[in-house]
Amino acid sequence: MGAINNSDSTWQSKLELITRNLQEVLGEDKITTILKDRDLKVYWGTAITGRPHIAYFVPMSKIADFLRAGCEVTILFADLHGYLDNQKAPWELLALRTQYYENVIKQMLLSIDVPLDKLKFVRGTDYQLSREYSLDVYRMSSAITEHDAKKAGAEVVKQVEHPLLSGLLYPGLQALDEEYLKVDAQFGGVDQRKIFTMSEKYLPQLGYAKRAHLMNPMVPGLTGGKMSSSEEDSKIDLLDEPAVVKKKLKKAFCEPGNITENGILSFVKHVIFPLGAQEGFLVPRSADHGGDLTFSTFEELEQAFAKQEIHPGDLKAAVEPQINKLLAPIIKTFQDPKLKELTAKAYPPPGKATKGGAAGAASDELVPSRLDIRVGKIVDVQNHPEADSLYVEKIDVGEGVPRTIVSGLKNFVPIEEMQNRDVIVLCNLKPAKMRGVESCGMVLCASVDEPRAVEPLLAPEGSAPGERVFVEGYENGTPDDVLNPKKKVWEKLSADLKTSSQCEAQWQGNPLLTKLGKITSKSLKSAPIK
């Protein structure tokens, strides 16, 4: 699709292009008024946390619409926001990740043939550390209630049981960005709606204008849920080679006839068709299955899939070359040695120092692969000689010599049920004395307070002592030798460890697994794991 000729186009055609495929628009009257007089100024912000993945083509296709409608577009690399969101982006890596995001997003826009003359990039810390902005943060903090700040960030800021104060600042900063970037409207996902409405409420209280807000729908990931940078199989990385794309698409959730939880169909709707399927969308099929089909509109494709006239395998086969076509120029550009080095430094393996960068920076990243969790077998258990509620266990965790571990299970599990029991053990805690006995690990349990109940987690049947337990999507990380107690790595990561409504152990919704299957609890649902 080519750019609109501004001199010939009407404000109506621009408005249609700006608002198409959006889930909601707040302040359309304001946008209409502006378009009758001049072009719209829009900003889109992205917190520089996980590596951008293929779902970023969804906002990019809308940014393409904005630019083709003559809008002035600012892309904000929200480096400070990434740090404030439960320190998802370590401070030492902010500059490197900003560079990575700018390079990769420019390549994405170039790969979809977007005019860049009215696009600019801004880094949050370029102005968010200024005296004026800092004073406005204090002014905002004196106006907004704790309830409103927490509510505004509920669907965007990482939610933990003991939230940091930084997460409450996050929504207010995003509201102030609208004023400091001097825009008419902010664009984002519908998950940011509460931040947008908070901005509309509080900016006028500071004497600033209320902005319009443009919201994209949330697009399902390949596994059926939200596409996430932290869930490896739910997204295709922008640097994934064709073989990897094929593998991930093969595993992607695509239930026959299901058009509501279908990341493949959503990608076709929000990326492939808007970016120019003028000749139609080709679904290749063998002659035995009716031959090739071509769809001129997404609605036709969706109806055919709903009626199961198209097999999921055929839909995936149609999408695969489209994805590879989008990724090819990005992958080619990132063959440059300097960009390869930038990628390695910005996203180093867990527990490794960045080459030529800040030593230990990577080890500050809070990812569950830093935890050394293993299947253990209790080979001996005794009552603690100095504590009525504690057991002293000898647990085989695959090291040849059993570890001594003290656990507070005496009031919850009879001693005869502890003997020869398989358990799940966190093995890289710093050894600590518990009432005179040194404990070299922790038996992980699901636990609830009302009514008080504690259950040791269960390994899949047939598991061997020492077998590694990992979080799906984080299989390749290297555990820390010893978790640094001063940095509270375990405390921060464990805040997101819970059992599901099916009693399955999860971290941020991703299952804990061994090679034989999932880790579970006996009966405790939606319970913290400690």
Side-chain angles (χ1 to χ4, degrees):
M1 179 178 178
I4 286 179
N5 185 322
N6 289 332
S7 61
D8 297 335
S9 65
T10 63
W11 65 264
Q12 290 99 329
S13 61
K14 292 183 180 182
L15 181 65
E16 191 279 328
L17 196 54
I18 289 167
T19 58
R20 70 171 180 170
N21 284 338
L22 293 176
Q23 182 162 327
E24 187 176 2
V25 178
L26 298 176
E28 186 168 332
D29 290 347
K30 181 180 180 69
I31 293 172
T32 299
T33 301
I34 292 170
L35 287 175
K36 289 178 179 179
D37 180 55
R38 60 172 172 81
D39 288 326
L40 197 69
K41 297 179 181 179
V42 183
Y43 109 79
W44 174 73
T46 179
I48 52 164
T49 50
R51 281 171 62 158
H53 46 76
I54 200 164
Y56 275 63
F57 273 111
V58 176
M60 290 304 109
S61 67
K62 275 311 304 175
I63 287 171
D65 283 344
F66 300 152
L67 290 166
R68 287 165 177 152
C71 297
E72 295 179 23
V73 178
T74 299
I75 292 181
L76 172 67
F77 296 119
D79 47 359
L80 191 57
H81 289 67
Y83 180 75
L84 291 176
D85 187 1
N86 215 54
Q87 300 180 36
K88 283 183 180 177
W91 190 261
E92 298 87 348
L93 297 180
L94 290 182
L96 291 166
R97 291 193 176 175
T98 301
Q99 292 175 44
Y100 180 85
Y101 264 68
E102 180 166 348
N103 277 282
V104 84
I105 285 177
K106 278 182 178 177
Q107 292 307 315
M108 290 177 76
L109 291 169
L110 288 171
S111 80
I112 58 178
D113 194 28
V114 175
L116 303 184
D117 54 309
K118 298 187 78 171
L119 174 70
K120 65 179 179 180
F121 297 96
V122 176
R123 184 181 313 201
T125 48
D126 287 345
Y127 66 90
Q128 289 167 348
L129 301 178
S130 68
R131 180 179 182 275
E132 292 76 16
Y133 190 91
S134 297
L135 288 174
D136 271 344
V137 171
Y138 287 122
R139 291 175 65 208
M140 178 71 79
S141 300
S142 68
I144 187 171
T145 65
E146 181 268 347
H147 172 270
D148 282 1
K150 190 172 182 179
K151 179 182 176 183
E155 294 184 49
V156 177
V157 179
K158 179 180 174 183
Q159 298 299 298
V160 295
E161 286 189 33
H162 304 289
L164 300 173
L165 181 60
S166 57
L168 297 176
L169 291 175
Y170 188 112
L173 268 64
Q174 187 168 336
L176 287 173
D177 290 340
E178 296 177 350
E179 172 63 26
Y180 278 77
L181 293 172
K182 303 300 180 186
V183 296
D184 307 308
Q186 183 179 172
F187 166 59
V190 74
D191 60 335
Q192 300 189 62
R193 190 183 196 280
K194 292 175 182 175
I195 292 181
F196 293 162
T197 55
M198 188 210 77
S199 171
E200 294 183 6
K201 175 181 178 181
Y202 283 100
L203 276 187
Q205 293 186 27
L206 271 62
Y208 297 140
K210 181 170 73 172
R211 268 66 179 189
H213 295 97
L214 306 158
M215 284 169 274
N216 251 354
M218 299 308 295
V219 175
L222 300 182
T223 54
K226 179 180 176 181
M227 197 174 287
S228 165
S229 296
S230 64
E231 189 178 345
E232 188 62 28
D233 282 343
S234 82
K235 49 92 178 178
I236 292 171
D237 191 88
L238 295 171
L239 302 181
D240 278 346
E241 296 287 348
V244 179
V245 172
K246 180 182 287 292
K247 180 182 176 182
K248 289 184 177 179
L249 282 176
K250 188 174 182 180
K251 294 172 66 177
F253 178 80
C254 191
E255 186 178 43
N258 185 343
I259 60 173
T260 57
E261 296 175 346
N262 193 323
I264 305 291
L265 268 181
S266 294
F267 190 80
V268 174
K269 177 180 180 179
H270 293 285
V271 178
I272 293 176
F273 268 98
L275 292 180
Q278 287 95 342
E279 298 82 26
F281 181 74
L282 174 66
V283 179
R285 301 192 305 178
S286 66
D288 293 343
H289 294 131
D292 296 350
L293 287 174
T294 300
F295 298 91
S296 57
T297 68
F298 173 76
E299 289 71 25
E300 293 173 358
L301 172 67
E302 185 179 47
Q303 290 170 14
F305 190 85
K307 295 174 183 176
Q308 299 189 34
E309 295 170 357
I310 297 176
H311 187 273
D314 293 329
L315 179 63
K316 291 178 181 182
V319 170
E320 184 181 337
Q322 301 278 357
I323 289 176
N324 289 329
K325 182 179 178 183
L326 289 172
L327 298 187
I330 303 172
I331 293 170
K332 183 178 179 181
T333 299
F334 271 75
Q335 293 302 311
D336 182 289
K338 290 184 179 180
L339 291 178
K340 279 187 173 182
E341 184 181 11
L342 172 63
T343 304
K345 285 183 176 181
Y347 295 96
K352 304 290 184 184
T354 52
K355 180 182 177 183
S363 64
D364 287 338
E365 192 162 19
L366 289 171
V367 288
S369 51
R370 296 178 63 181
L371 304 177
D372 183 3
I373 304 176
R374 305 181 213 167
V375 175
K377 187 177 186 66
I378 299 176
V379 296
D380 183 64
V381 57
Q382 304 290 333
N383 294 321
H384 194 295
E386 301 294 333
D388 293 338
S389 62
L390 302 179
Y391 285 136
V392 179
E393 303 127 2
K394 298 289 186 182
I395 303 180
D396 179 4
V397 290
E399 297 172 325
V401 179
R403 290 192 182 205
T404 298
I405 294 178
V406 179
S407 58
L409 290 168
K410 188 174 179 181
N411 295 331
F412 304 99
V413 183
I415 194 166
E416 59 270 16
E417 291 184 20
M418 292 292 288
Q419 188 69 44
N420 296 319
R421 182 188 188 115
D422 286 343
V423 287
I424 305 300
V425 181
L426 176 63
C427 294
N428 58 343
L429 285 176
K430 185 177 181 180
K433 283 196 173 182
M434 298 181 68
R435 301 294 289 272
V437 177
E438 187 172 67
S439 180
C440 299
M442 176 192 294
V443 175
L444 296 182
C445 303
S447 172
V448 294
D449 294 329
E450 295 294 338
R452 183 68 173 145
V454 179
E455 293 178 356
L457 294 181
L458 305 173
E461 189 174 346
S463 297
E467 195 165 307
R468 189 181 171 203
V469 177
F470 56 88
V471 174
E472 187 175 64
Y474 296 86
E475 297 91 336
N476 299 323
T478 303
D480 293 12
D481 292 334
V482 178
L483 297 172
N484 188 336
K486 291 183 179 179
K487 295 192 175 182
K488 298 189 179 299
V489 177
W490 164 245
E491 289 81 359
K492 292 176 180 177
L493 287 170
S494 64
D496 289 322
L497 279 171
K498 290 182 173 65
T499 59
S500 70
S501 58
Q502 287 78 42
C503 297
E504 296 172 351
Q506 297 181 338
W507 184 82
Q508 290 191 358
N510 303 324
L512 273 65
L513 307 164
T514 71
K515 62 184 180 182
L516 294 180
K518 295 180 179 179
I519 305 301
T520 59
S521 63
K522 182 179 179 181
S523 65
L524 294 182
K525 302 176 180 180
S526 305
I529 294 172
K530 303 175 182 178

